[in-house]
Amino acid sequence: MPRGRYSLHDPHDHTPLAEEHFQCAPGPSGWRYVSQLTTPAGDHSGSVDLTLDELGRPIRLELHAGSWQVRGAALDGVTWVRTDPTGTHATEGNVPAHAFTGTSPAFLVATTRLLRLTPSASATRVRLVAFTDPVLAPRTVDQSWTLLKREAHATDNGPLTVEEYQVTALDTGEQHTVHISGDVVLAAPGIELEDLESPPSTFPETPLD
């Protein structure tokens, strides 16, 4: 069960945004990721709880940011309920999308579990609902993912398989690179892995039909 800490920063000017203390693990139903977020000053600022099924679909999502809350799941596309800080107004949403995304590294791992790309495959398009900080406002985004390469690196705990993805935002054409090993993000724009107490979990490499 990987457990560690990411630092999150603005990918453009590198302003520190938060630290995300996480743990994750595959299980009988798929994969689960939970984390607590703190501000650069050390104050609690939010949490992430994401569970995927064996096909990589989000069967449970709960986000907290400040006093805002989102609960969602894959249902008729993706469906969610967003609650305001007072707790008196809840807004339901539904979009014909594949999954969710946001600032947490968990969503990058989740997208790779959903797509199951191989290095020889062409770019794959995916539609996601992004919840943007600080109020978890929903926004539909279209991306294209390509697995550029998969390499094994020698470590003290045995070989570590690292996958390098190219992600393209289809509305702007902007591209960036994401490096993932198992269920841990090693590097991505705005994300740095600062501490990892145990090796990443491994997933089957063969795509699901």
Side-chain angles (χ1 to χ4, degrees):
M1 177 185 294
R3 183 191 304 264
R5 175 172 55 90
Y6 294 109
S7 63
L8 309 181
H9 58 266
D10 188 300
H12 303 291
D13 62 14
H14 300 287
T15 300
L17 300 176
E19 289 200 340
E20 186 162 340
H21 300 260
F22 73 95
Q23 62 184 62
C24 55
S29 64
W31 180 72
R32 188 179 181 196
Y33 176 102
V34 294
S35 69
Q36 298 289 326
L37 288 98
T38 57
T39 67
D43 299 322
H44 182 264
S45 61
S47 63
V48 179
D49 190 339
L50 174 64
T51 302
L52 309 179
D53 68 9
E54 66 276 8
L55 298 179
R57 298 172 298 194
I59 56 176
R60 181 178 181 272
L61 170 67
E62 185 168 329
L63 296 177
H64 292 266
S67 299
W68 292 86
Q69 175 181 286
V70 165
R71 290 181 176 175
L75 181 66
D76 297 327
V78 292
T79 300
W80 68 91
V81 177
R82 175 172 171 262
T83 308
D84 73 340
T86 67
T88 58
H89 299 287
T91 304
E92 295 186 10
N94 173 263
V95 170
H98 299 94
F100 300 108
T101 191
T103 56
S104 173
F107 294 113
L108 297 176
V109 176
T111 302
T112 66
R113 297 310 304 148
L114 181 71
L115 299 180
R116 307 291 176 97
L117 300 177
T118 61
S120 60
S122 58
T124 299
R125 179 172 177 157
V126 63
R127 173 162 290 181
L128 305 168
V129 172
F131 294 107
T132 56
D133 295 332
V135 297
L136 301 179
R139 181 171 61 95
T140 304
V141 298
D142 291 306
Q143 297 178 343
S144 174
W145 282 65
T146 305
L147 176 55
L148 298 179
K149 58 184 176 181
R150 178 184 289 138
E151 294 182 335
H153 299 263
T155 71
D156 293 339
N157 297 314
L160 183 71
T161 300
V162 178
E163 297 178 331
E164 179 181 342
Y165 294 88
Q166 180 176 279
V167 183
T168 304
L170 296 181
D171 55 347
T172 64
E174 181 180 2
Q175 294 183 334
H176 62 267
T177 302
V178 174
H179 291 84
I180 292 178
S181 179
D183 55 358
V184 173
V185 176
L186 303 180
I191 298 170
E192 290 188 20
L193 179 63
E194 301 288 354
D195 181 52
L196 186 63
E197 296 181 9
S198 56
S201 302
T202 57
F203 292 113
E205 294 186 4
T206 54
L208 295 180
D209 295 330

